[in-house]
Amino acid sequence: MVLTGAGISAESGIRTFRGSDGLWEEHRIEEVATPQAFARHPALVYRFYNERRQQLLSDTVQPNAAHHALARLEREYKGTVNIVTQNVDNLHERAGSHKLIHMHGELLKSRCVSCGDVAAGVVTLDQHDQCRVCNHRGVLRPHIVWFGEVPFQMEEIAELLAHCTLFISIGTSGNVYPAAGFAKIAAESGARTLELNLEASSTPGNFDEARYGPAGTIVPLVVDELTGSS
Ligand code: BJW
């Protein structure tokens, strides 16, 4: 089981949340990524996600060596590889990963708060958009898990945590739960735990082993070891 966070996409040009440049127009992520912020300042929140979609769809943002290495791991590893990503970008799937859970949602999807329809291929979204299924207006929100909301596919994730033999955490600071607690759960279920990060996360004690460096460099090396290519 591989858990990924914003650090794996940093070398693709997508900013992390809690790095020194991790602000959006002076707003902390906690100020724009909550249901309360969306209720109070919908235009601000729509614009935050519209800008991030524009960036994700620009030619300069491409999967990097770490995303490609994980797709190779899925193809070549002798066991099953499941990726659970906290990232809302689509760089894992563009690199060729298939067994993938987006626990915090997906940037390029919208959700109707009236009928629940989830639509893909979203570029911009605002208060006036109409749901393609129920036809109501002003009901489409980003398909994103905000603070205080329950992440997606938690039952499948619990199954993976209970049965995985190796748990690898890549590029996540360990500040946001429930993901920050996954390594501990996996370890308690008997898995070996490995952290790959630029620097130690907030929960280094949850890992049997850690390797520090840019994901684009260290993830391919670990994948080589796991597939016997080194
Ligand atoms: C590199 C690198 C390179 C850089 N190579 N590495 C008190 C205690 C415990 C919990 C709570 C609490 N108070 C409130 C809570 C719950 C809350 C929470 O955790 N709050 C904390 C702030 C304390 N959590 C929630 O509300 C969650 N829901 C929940 O708990 O529901 C209850 C429930 C759960 C389960 C079952 C039943 C009920 C929801 C959390 C939603 C998070 N949403 C966001 C934004 C939406 C997505 C978006 O807009 O993009 O998700 S917040 C933001 O943080 C985003 C990320 O996915 C998430 C994690 O961030 P990540 O990926 O770790 O990024 P950074 O920036 O923090 O770290 C980057 C890392 O990369 C660093 O370590 C760098 O070193 C590294 N790095 N360059 C390798 N080149």
Side-chain angles (χ1 to χ4, degrees):
M1 176 173 179
V2 181
L3 172 71
T4 63
I8 197 168
S9 297
E11 290 156 78
S12 297
I14 299 180
R15 291 198 309 186
T16 63
F17 295 97
R18 295 171 186 82
S20 54
D21 62 348
L23 289 174
W24 177 73
E25 292 189 0
E26 307 305 315
H27 299 284
R28 289 164 56 240
I29 184 71
E30 290 80 0
E31 290 165 15
V32 274
T34 69
Q36 293 79 7
F38 185 54
R40 251 184 262 128
H41 310 290
L44 177 84
V45 177
Y46 279 121
R47 193 157 60 84
F48 174 62
Y49 287 100
N50 285 342
E51 287 184 9
R52 288 175 58 199
R53 276 187 218 101
Q54 297 292 342
Q55 191 205 13
L56 179 59
L57 293 169
S58 73
D59 290 341
T60 55
V61 174
Q62 298 293 337
N64 65 52
H67 298 104
H68 287 296
L70 290 181
R72 176 162 62 88
L73 185 66
E74 184 181 323
R75 287 194 303 273
E76 297 179 6
Y77 189 59
K78 61 182 184 322
T80 307
V81 177
N82 289 279
I83 300 175
V84 175
T85 187
Q86 298 170 84
N87 299 343
V88 299
D89 64 50
N90 60 358
L91 297 180
H92 283 302
E93 42 275 63
R94 280 164 61 184
S97 289
H98 296 100
K99 294 181 79 67
L100 176 66
I101 291 177
H102 275 280
M103 66 176 288
H104 288 167
E106 293 173 69
L107 199 47
L108 301 181
K109 290 184 177 174
S110 65
R111 184 166 80 251
C112 176
V113 296
S114 182
C115 74
D117 177 59
V118 174
V122 170
V123 180
T124 58
L125 207 58
D126 69 34
Q127 292 108 304
H128 310 293
D129 285 325
Q130 185 173 20
C131 174
R132 62 181 182 169
V133 174
C134 70
N135 294 323
H136 287 121
R137 284 194 186 276
V139 286
L140 299 186
R141 57 163 279 181
H143 188 50
I144 298 284
V145 177
W146 288 323
F147 284 107
E149 298 182 324
V150 178
F152 297 132
Q153 295 179 259
M154 282 308 298
E155 281 181 21
E156 284 110 306
I157 293 173
E159 278 290 306
L160 294 174
L161 288 168
H163 297 111
C164 67
T165 50
L166 172 62
F167 176 90
I168 308 177
S169 171
I170 305 174
T172 176
S173 62
N175 285 308
V176 176
Y177 287 85
F182 288 172
K184 189 163 184 281
I185 297 170
E188 285 167 357
S189 305
R192 186 164 80 87
T193 55
L194 170 63
E195 167 159 82
L196 305 179
N197 201 318
L198 207 51
E199 55 191 36
S201 67
S202 311
T203 55
N206 290 341
F207 296 94
D208 297 315
E209 189 189 340
R211 302 205 197 159
Y212 299 122
T217 305
I218 58 176
V219 175
L221 293 176
V222 170
V223 168
D224 284 348
E225 288 171 27
L226 292 171
T227 56
S229 327
S230 55

Short mmCIF file of all heavy atoms in Angstrom, two decimals, residues 137-196:
data_model
loop_
_atom_site.label_atom_id
_atom_site.label_comp_id
_atom_site.label_asym_id
_atom_site.label_seq_id
_atom_site.Cartn_x
_atom_site.Cartn_y
_atom_site.Cartn_z
N ARG A 137 -29.85 24.92 -10.44
CA ARG A 137 -28.69 25.83 -10.55
C ARG A 137 -28.11 26.13 -9.18
O ARG A 137 -28.82 26.08 -8.18
CB ARG A 137 -29.10 27.14 -11.22
CG ARG A 137 -29.30 27.01 -12.69
CD ARG A 137 -29.38 28.35 -13.41
NE ARG A 137 -29.70 28.10 -14.80
CZ ARG A 137 -28.81 27.80 -15.74
NH1 ARG A 137 -27.53 27.75 -15.44
NH2 ARG A 137 -29.19 27.57 -16.99
N GLY A 138 -26.81 26.44 -9.16
CA GLY A 138 -26.17 26.85 -7.91
C GLY A 138 -25.96 25.69 -6.95
O GLY A 138 -25.88 25.90 -5.74
N VAL A 139 -25.87 24.48 -7.49
CA VAL A 139 -25.77 23.30 -6.62
C VAL A 139 -24.48 22.51 -6.84
O VAL A 139 -24.27 21.48 -6.21
CB VAL A 139 -26.98 22.35 -6.84
CG1 VAL A 139 -28.24 22.92 -6.23
CG2 VAL A 139 -27.16 22.05 -8.32
N LEU A 140 -23.63 22.99 -7.75
CA LEU A 140 -22.41 22.22 -8.05
C LEU A 140 -21.24 22.72 -7.21
O LEU A 140 -20.94 23.91 -7.19
CB LEU A 140 -22.06 22.33 -9.54
CG LEU A 140 -23.10 21.80 -10.51
CD1 LEU A 140 -22.57 21.84 -11.93
CD2 LEU A 140 -23.53 20.37 -10.14
N ARG A 141 -20.58 21.79 -6.54
CA ARG A 141 -19.42 22.14 -5.72
C ARG A 141 -18.23 21.30 -6.21
O ARG A 141 -18.41 20.26 -6.85
CB ARG A 141 -19.67 21.86 -4.24
CG ARG A 141 -20.05 20.43 -3.91
CD ARG A 141 -19.90 20.11 -2.43
NE ARG A 141 -18.51 19.82 -2.09
CZ ARG A 141 -18.08 19.49 -0.87
NH1 ARG A 141 -18.94 19.43 0.14
NH2 ARG A 141 -16.82 19.23 -0.64
N PRO A 142 -17.01 21.74 -5.87
CA PRO A 142 -15.86 20.90 -6.19
C PRO A 142 -16.00 19.54 -5.50
O PRO A 142 -16.48 19.46 -4.37
CB PRO A 142 -14.68 21.70 -5.60
CG PRO A 142 -15.17 23.12 -5.53
CD PRO A 142 -16.64 23.01 -5.24
N HIS A 143 -15.57 18.47 -6.19
CA HIS A 143 -15.65 17.10 -5.62
C HIS A 143 -14.38 16.87 -4.79
O HIS A 143 -13.49 16.11 -5.15
CB HIS A 143 -15.76 16.09 -6.77
CG HIS A 143 -16.03 14.69 -6.31
ND1 HIS A 143 -17.05 14.37 -5.43
CD2 HIS A 143 -15.42 13.51 -6.61
CE1 HIS A 143 -17.04 13.06 -5.23
NE2 HIS A 143 -16.06 12.52 -5.92
N ILE A 144 -14.34 17.59 -3.68
CA ILE A 144 -13.15 17.68 -2.83
C ILE A 144 -13.60 17.41 -1.40
O ILE A 144 -14.69 17.83 -1.01
CB ILE A 144 -12.58 19.13 -2.90
CG1 ILE A 144 -12.14 19.51 -4.33
CG2 ILE A 144 -11.46 19.34 -1.89
CD1 ILE A 144 -10.84 18.91 -4.78
N VAL A 145 -12.72 16.74 -0.64
CA VAL A 145 -13.03 16.52 0.78
C VAL A 145 -12.41 17.66 1.58
O VAL A 145 -11.19 17.82 1.63
CB VAL A 145 -12.47 15.16 1.27
CG1 VAL A 145 -12.74 14.97 2.76
CG2 VAL A 145 -13.08 14.01 0.47
N TRP A 146 -13.28 18.46 2.18
CA TRP A 146 -12.82 19.59 2.98
C TRP A 146 -12.69 19.19 4.44
O TRP A 146 -13.21 18.15 4.86
CB TRP A 146 -13.80 20.76 2.83
CG TRP A 146 -13.72 21.42 1.48
CD1 TRP A 146 -12.60 21.63 0.74
CD2 TRP A 146 -14.81 21.94 0.70
NE1 TRP A 146 -12.92 22.27 -0.44
CE2 TRP A 146 -14.26 22.47 -0.48
CE3 TRP A 146 -16.18 22.03 0.90
CZ2 TRP A 146 -15.04 23.08 -1.47
CZ3 TRP A 146 -16.97 22.64 -0.08
CH2 TRP A 146 -16.39 23.15 -1.25
N PHE A 147 -12.03 20.03 5.23
CA PHE A 147 -11.88 19.76 6.66
C PHE A 147 -13.26 19.58 7.29
O PHE A 147 -14.20 20.34 6.99
CB PHE A 147 -11.12 20.89 7.36
CG PHE A 147 -9.65 20.83 7.07
CD1 PHE A 147 -9.06 21.75 6.22
CD2 PHE A 147 -8.85 19.84 7.63
CE1 PHE A 147 -7.71 21.69 5.94
CE2 PHE A 147 -7.50 19.76 7.35
CZ PHE A 147 -6.92 20.69 6.51
N GLY A 148 -13.37 18.54 8.11
CA GLY A 148 -14.65 18.25 8.77
C GLY A 148 -15.51 17.28 7.98
O GLY A 148 -16.53 16.81 8.49
N GLU A 149 -15.11 16.97 6.74
CA GLU A 149 -15.87 16.01 5.93
C GLU A 149 -15.14 14.65 5.96
O GLU A 149 -13.91 14.61 6.11
CB GLU A 149 -16.01 16.51 4.50
CG GLU A 149 -16.79 17.82 4.43
CD GLU A 149 -17.00 18.35 3.02
OE1 GLU A 149 -16.09 18.20 2.17
OE2 GLU A 149 -18.06 18.94 2.79
N VAL A 150 -15.90 13.59 5.74
CA VAL A 150 -15.30 12.26 5.81
C VAL A 150 -14.65 11.93 4.46
O VAL A 150 -15.30 12.04 3.42
CB VAL A 150 -16.38 11.20 6.15
CG1 VAL A 150 -15.75 9.81 6.18
CG2 VAL A 150 -17.01 11.51 7.50
N PRO A 151 -13.37 11.55 4.47
CA PRO A 151 -12.71 11.19 3.21
C PRO A 151 -13.42 10.03 2.51
O PRO A 151 -14.12 9.24 3.14
CB PRO A 151 -11.30 10.79 3.66
CG PRO A 151 -11.09 11.56 4.92
CD PRO A 151 -12.43 11.56 5.60
N PHE A 152 -13.19 9.92 1.22
CA PHE A 152 -13.85 8.90 0.40
C PHE A 152 -13.22 7.52 0.61
O PHE A 152 -12.03 7.40 0.91
CB PHE A 152 -13.74 9.25 -1.09
CG PHE A 152 -14.45 10.54 -1.45
CD1 PHE A 152 -13.82 11.51 -2.21
CD2 PHE A 152 -15.75 10.77 -1.02
CE1 PHE A 152 -14.47 12.69 -2.54
CE2 PHE A 152 -16.42 11.96 -1.35
CZ PHE A 152 -15.77 12.92 -2.11
N GLN A 153 -14.03 6.51 0.39
CA GLN A 153 -13.61 5.09 0.34
C GLN A 153 -12.87 4.64 1.61
O GLN A 153 -11.90 3.87 1.53
CB GLN A 153 -12.77 4.84 -0.93
CG GLN A 153 -13.61 5.03 -2.19
CD GLN A 153 -12.80 4.83 -3.47
OE1 GLN A 153 -12.40 5.80 -4.11
NE2 GLN A 153 -12.56 3.60 -3.85
N MET A 154 -13.32 5.11 2.75
CA MET A 154 -12.64 4.77 4.01
C MET A 154 -12.73 3.27 4.33
O MET A 154 -11.82 2.71 4.93
CB MET A 154 -13.19 5.60 5.16
CG MET A 154 -12.67 7.04 5.22
SD MET A 154 -10.87 7.20 5.17
CE MET A 154 -10.39 6.34 6.66
N GLU A 155 -13.82 2.62 3.89
CA GLU A 155 -13.92 1.17 4.18
C GLU A 155 -12.88 0.39 3.40
O GLU A 155 -12.21 -0.50 3.95
CB GLU A 155 -15.33 0.65 3.84
CG GLU A 155 -16.32 0.99 4.94
CD GLU A 155 -17.72 0.48 4.65
OE1 GLU A 155 -17.88 -0.44 3.84
OE2 GLU A 155 -18.65 1.05 5.26
N GLU A 156 -12.70 0.74 2.12
CA GLU A 156 -11.67 0.05 1.31
C GLU A 156 -10.29 0.33 1.88
O GLU A 156 -9.44 -0.54 1.94
CB GLU A 156 -11.71 0.55 -0.14
CG GLU A 156 -12.85 -0.01 -0.96
CD GLU A 156 -13.87 1.06 -1.28
OE1 GLU A 156 -14.37 1.72 -0.31
OE2 GLU A 156 -14.18 1.25 -2.46
N ILE A 157 -10.08 1.56 2.33
CA ILE A 157 -8.77 1.93 2.89
C ILE A 157 -8.51 1.12 4.16
O ILE A 157 -7.40 0.60 4.37
CB ILE A 157 -8.70 3.45 3.15
CG1 ILE A 157 -8.74 4.20 1.81
CG2 ILE A 157 -7.44 3.81 3.93
CD1 ILE A 157 -8.84 5.72 1.93
N ALA A 158 -9.52 0.97 4.99
CA ALA A 158 -9.35 0.18 6.23
C ALA A 158 -8.97 -1.26 5.90
O ALA A 158 -8.12 -1.86 6.56
CB ALA A 158 -10.64 0.24 7.05
N GLU A 159 -9.58 -1.81 4.85
CA GLU A 159 -9.25 -3.18 4.41
C GLU A 159 -7.79 -3.26 3.98
O GLU A 159 -7.07 -4.19 4.33
CB GLU A 159 -10.13 -3.58 3.21
CG GLU A 159 -11.49 -4.07 3.59
CD GLU A 159 -11.43 -5.43 4.26
OE1 GLU A 159 -10.84 -6.36 3.70
OE2 GLU A 159 -11.94 -5.54 5.41
N LEU A 160 -7.37 -2.28 3.19
CA LEU A 160 -5.98 -2.27 2.71
C LEU A 160 -5.01 -2.17 3.88
O LEU A 160 -4.00 -2.88 3.94
CB LEU A 160 -5.74 -1.10 1.74
CG LEU A 160 -6.50 -1.16 0.41
CD1 LEU A 160 -6.28 0.13 -0.37
CD2 LEU A 160 -6.06 -2.36 -0.41
N LEU A 161 -5.34 -1.31 4.83
CA LEU A 161 -4.45 -1.12 5.99
C LEU A 161 -4.36 -2.40 6.83
O LEU A 161 -3.30 -2.73 7.37
CB LEU A 161 -4.95 0.03 6.88
CG LEU A 161 -4.78 1.42 6.29
CD1 LEU A 161 -5.56 2.46 7.10
CD2 LEU A 161 -3.29 1.81 6.25
N ALA A 162 -5.46 -3.12 6.90
CA ALA A 162 -5.48 -4.33 7.74
C ALA A 162 -4.68 -5.46 7.10
O ALA A 162 -4.20 -6.34 7.80
CB ALA A 162 -6.92 -4.76 7.96
N HIS A 163 -4.56 -5.43 5.77
CA HIS A 163 -3.96 -6.59 5.09
C HIS A 163 -2.66 -6.32 4.37
O HIS A 163 -2.05 -7.25 3.84
CB HIS A 163 -4.99 -7.20 4.12
CG HIS A 163 -6.20 -7.72 4.83
ND1 HIS A 163 -7.44 -7.14 4.72
CD2 HIS A 163 -6.33 -8.73 5.72
CE1 HIS A 163 -8.30 -7.78 5.49
NE2 HIS A 163 -7.65 -8.75 6.11
N CYS A 164 -2.21 -5.07 4.32
CA CYS A 164 -0.98 -4.82 3.55
C CYS A 164 0.23 -5.37 4.30
O CYS A 164 0.24 -5.45 5.52
CB CYS A 164 -0.81 -3.34 3.23
SG CYS A 164 -0.50 -2.28 4.64
N THR A 165 1.26 -5.74 3.53
CA THR A 165 2.49 -6.25 4.15
C THR A 165 3.57 -5.16 4.18
O THR A 165 4.49 -5.21 4.98
CB THR A 165 3.02 -7.46 3.37
OG1 THR A 165 3.06 -7.11 1.98
CG2 THR A 165 2.11 -8.67 3.57
N LEU A 166 3.44 -4.20 3.27
CA LEU A 166 4.39 -3.09 3.20
C LEU A 166 3.59 -1.81 3.01
O LEU A 166 2.72 -1.75 2.13
CB LEU A 166 5.35 -3.29 2.02
CG LEU A 166 6.30 -2.14 1.68
CD1 LEU A 166 7.25 -1.85 2.83
CD2 LEU A 166 7.10 -2.46 0.42
N PHE A 167 3.85 -0.82 3.84
CA PHE A 167 3.16 0.47 3.73
C PHE A 167 4.22 1.54 3.45
O PHE A 167 5.16 1.71 4.23
CB PHE A 167 2.43 0.78 5.04
CG PHE A 167 1.76 2.13 5.06
CD1 PHE A 167 0.45 2.28 4.63
CD2 PHE A 167 2.45 3.27 5.49
CE1 PHE A 167 -0.17 3.54 4.63
CE2 PHE A 167 1.85 4.51 5.49
CZ PHE A 167 0.54 4.65 5.06
N ILE A 168 4.07 2.24 2.33
CA ILE A 168 5.03 3.29 1.97
C ILE A 168 4.30 4.63 1.93
O ILE A 168 3.28 4.78 1.24
CB ILE A 168 5.66 3.02 0.58
CG1 ILE A 168 6.24 1.61 0.50
CG2 ILE A 168 6.76 4.05 0.28
CD1 ILE A 168 6.82 1.25 -0.87
N SER A 169 4.82 5.60 2.67
CA SER A 169 4.24 6.94 2.68
C SER A 169 5.18 7.86 1.91
O SER A 169 6.38 7.91 2.20
CB SER A 169 4.13 7.40 4.14
OG SER A 169 3.76 8.76 4.19
N ILE A 170 4.64 8.57 0.92
CA ILE A 170 5.50 9.42 0.08
C ILE A 170 5.01 10.87 0.09
O ILE A 170 3.86 11.15 -0.27
CB ILE A 170 5.49 8.91 -1.39
CG1 ILE A 170 5.90 7.43 -1.45
CG2 ILE A 170 6.43 9.76 -2.26
CD1 ILE A 170 5.78 6.82 -2.85
N GLY A 171 5.87 11.77 0.51
CA GLY A 171 5.60 13.20 0.34
C GLY A 171 4.38 13.73 1.06
O GLY A 171 3.66 14.56 0.51
N THR A 172 4.16 13.27 2.28
CA THR A 172 3.05 13.85 3.05
C THR A 172 3.57 14.24 4.43
O THR A 172 4.38 13.54 5.02
CB THR A 172 1.83 12.89 3.14
OG1 THR A 172 0.83 13.48 3.97
CG2 THR A 172 2.19 11.52 3.65
N SER A 173 3.10 15.40 4.92
CA SER A 173 3.68 15.98 6.15
C SER A 173 3.18 15.31 7.42
O SER A 173 3.72 15.54 8.49
CB SER A 173 3.36 17.48 6.20
OG SER A 173 1.96 17.65 6.26
N GLY A 174 2.11 14.51 7.32
CA GLY A 174 1.59 13.85 8.52
C GLY A 174 0.83 14.79 9.44
O GLY A 174 0.71 14.54 10.64
N ASN A 175 0.29 15.87 8.87
CA ASN A 175 -0.47 16.83 9.69
C ASN A 175 -1.97 16.62 9.61
O ASN A 175 -2.71 17.16 10.43
CB ASN A 175 -0.16 18.26 9.23
CG ASN A 175 1.19 18.71 9.71
OD1 ASN A 175 1.49 18.62 10.89
ND2 ASN A 175 2.05 19.15 8.80
N VAL A 176 -2.43 15.93 8.57
CA VAL A 176 -3.88 15.86 8.34
C VAL A 176 -4.37 14.42 8.54
O VAL A 176 -3.87 13.48 7.91
CB VAL A 176 -4.23 16.37 6.93
CG1 VAL A 176 -5.71 16.21 6.64
CG2 VAL A 176 -3.84 17.84 6.80
N TYR A 177 -5.34 14.28 9.42
CA TYR A 177 -5.94 12.99 9.73
C TYR A 177 -7.19 12.80 8.87
O TYR A 177 -7.78 13.77 8.43
CB TYR A 177 -6.30 12.93 11.23
CG TYR A 177 -5.06 12.77 12.07
CD1 TYR A 177 -4.32 13.89 12.44
CD2 TYR A 177 -4.60 11.51 12.43
CE1 TYR A 177 -3.15 13.74 13.18
CE2 TYR A 177 -3.43 11.37 13.17
CZ TYR A 177 -2.72 12.49 13.54
OH TYR A 177 -1.56 12.34 14.26
N PRO A 178 -7.59 11.56 8.60
CA PRO A 178 -7.07 10.30 9.13
C PRO A 178 -5.78 9.80 8.46
O PRO A 178 -5.14 8.92 9.02
CB PRO A 178 -8.20 9.31 8.86
CG PRO A 178 -8.92 9.87 7.69
CD PRO A 178 -8.83 11.35 7.80
N ALA A 179 -5.36 10.38 7.31
CA ALA A 179 -4.20 9.82 6.60
C ALA A 179 -2.96 9.78 7.48
O ALA A 179 -2.16 8.83 7.41
CB ALA A 179 -3.93 10.64 5.33
N ALA A 180 -2.79 10.77 8.35
CA ALA A 180 -1.59 10.83 9.19
C ALA A 180 -1.51 9.64 10.15
O ALA A 180 -0.42 9.34 10.66
CB ALA A 180 -1.58 12.14 9.97
N GLY A 181 -2.62 8.96 10.37
CA GLY A 181 -2.62 7.80 11.27
C GLY A 181 -2.48 6.47 10.56
O GLY A 181 -2.40 5.42 11.21
N PHE A 182 -2.42 6.48 9.22
CA PHE A 182 -2.42 5.20 8.49
C PHE A 182 -1.18 4.35 8.78
O PHE A 182 -1.27 3.13 8.89
CB PHE A 182 -2.52 5.44 6.97
CG PHE A 182 -3.87 5.92 6.49
CD1 PHE A 182 -4.04 6.33 5.17
CD2 PHE A 182 -4.98 5.96 7.33
CE1 PHE A 182 -5.27 6.76 4.70
CE2 PHE A 182 -6.22 6.40 6.87
CZ PHE A 182 -6.36 6.80 5.55
N ALA A 183 -0.01 4.97 8.85
CA ALA A 183 1.22 4.18 9.06
C ALA A 183 1.15 3.41 10.38
O ALA A 183 1.54 2.24 10.45
CB ALA A 183 2.45 5.10 9.03
N LYS A 184 0.63 4.07 11.40
CA LYS A 184 0.52 3.42 12.71
C LYS A 184 -0.44 2.22 12.64
O LYS A 184 -0.14 1.14 13.16
CB LYS A 184 0.02 4.45 13.74
CG LYS A 184 0.06 4.00 15.17
CD LYS A 184 -0.04 5.23 16.08
CE LYS A 184 0.09 4.85 17.54
NZ LYS A 184 -1.13 4.29 18.09
N ILE A 185 -1.56 2.41 11.94
CA ILE A 185 -2.54 1.32 11.82
C ILE A 185 -1.91 0.15 11.05
O ILE A 185 -2.04 -1.01 11.43
CB ILE A 185 -3.82 1.81 11.10
CG1 ILE A 185 -4.50 2.90 11.93
CG2 ILE A 185 -4.78 0.65 10.84
CD1 ILE A 185 -5.64 3.61 11.21
N ALA A 186 -1.22 0.48 9.95
CA ALA A 186 -0.59 -0.58 9.14
C ALA A 186 0.45 -1.32 9.96
O ALA A 186 0.53 -2.55 9.93
CB ALA A 186 0.04 0.03 7.88
N ALA A 187 1.24 -0.57 10.73
CA ALA A 187 2.29 -1.21 11.56
C ALA A 187 1.65 -2.13 12.60
O ALA A 187 2.12 -3.25 12.83
CB ALA A 187 3.14 -0.13 12.23
N GLU A 188 0.57 -1.66 13.20
CA GLU A 188 -0.10 -2.49 14.22
C GLU A 188 -0.70 -3.76 13.61
O GLU A 188 -0.91 -4.74 14.30
CB GLU A 188 -1.19 -1.66 14.92
CG GLU A 188 -0.58 -0.65 15.89
CD GLU A 188 -1.55 0.41 16.39
OE1 GLU A 188 -2.73 0.44 15.95
OE2 GLU A 188 -1.12 1.24 17.22
N SER A 189 -0.98 -3.69 12.29
CA SER A 189 -1.51 -4.88 11.61
C SER A 189 -0.39 -5.76 11.08
O SER A 189 -0.65 -6.74 10.38
CB SER A 189 -2.41 -4.46 10.44
OG SER A 189 -3.41 -3.60 10.88
N GLY A 190 0.86 -5.39 11.32
CA GLY A 190 1.99 -6.25 10.95
C GLY A 190 2.76 -5.83 9.73
O GLY A 190 3.68 -6.53 9.30
N ALA A 191 2.42 -4.69 9.12
CA ALA A 191 3.13 -4.26 7.91
C ALA A 191 4.47 -3.61 8.26
O ALA A 191 4.61 -3.00 9.32
CB ALA A 191 2.28 -3.28 7.12
N ARG A 192 5.42 -3.73 7.33
CA ARG A 192 6.65 -2.94 7.43
C ARG A 192 6.29 -1.54 6.90
O ARG A 192 5.52 -1.42 5.94
CB ARG A 192 7.73 -3.58 6.55
CG ARG A 192 9.10 -2.94 6.67
CD ARG A 192 10.16 -3.89 6.10
NE ARG A 192 10.23 -3.83 4.64
CZ ARG A 192 10.97 -2.96 3.95
NH1 ARG A 192 11.70 -2.06 4.58
NH2 ARG A 192 11.00 -3.00 2.64
N THR A 193 6.83 -0.51 7.54
CA THR A 193 6.44 0.85 7.15
C THR A 193 7.68 1.66 6.74
O THR A 193 8.71 1.63 7.42
CB THR A 193 5.70 1.58 8.30
OG1 THR A 193 6.51 1.55 9.46
CG2 THR A 193 4.36 0.93 8.60
N LEU A 194 7.53 2.37 5.64
CA LEU A 194 8.65 3.11 5.05
C LEU A 194 8.19 4.52 4.70
O LEU A 194 7.16 4.69 4.05
CB LEU A 194 9.12 2.37 3.79
CG LEU A 194 10.12 3.06 2.86
CD1 LEU A 194 11.45 3.29 3.57
CD2 LEU A 194 10.34 2.21 1.60
N GLU A 195 8.95 5.51 5.15
CA GLU A 195 8.64 6.90 4.79
C GLU A 195 9.63 7.41 3.74
O GLU A 195 10.84 7.29 3.91
CB GLU A 195 8.72 7.80 6.02
CG GLU A 195 8.73 9.29 5.64
CD GLU A 195 8.29 10.20 6.76
OE1 GLU A 195 9.11 10.54 7.63
OE2 GLU A 195 7.11 10.58 6.75
N LEU A 196 9.10 8.01 2.66
CA LEU A 196 9.94 8.65 1.65
C LEU A 196 9.52 10.11 1.59
O LEU A 196 8.36 10.42 1.28
CB LEU A 196 9.73 8.00 0.27
CG LEU A 196 9.94 6.48 0.19
CD1 LEU A 196 9.67 5.97 -1.21
CD2 LEU A 196 11.36 6.10 0.63
#
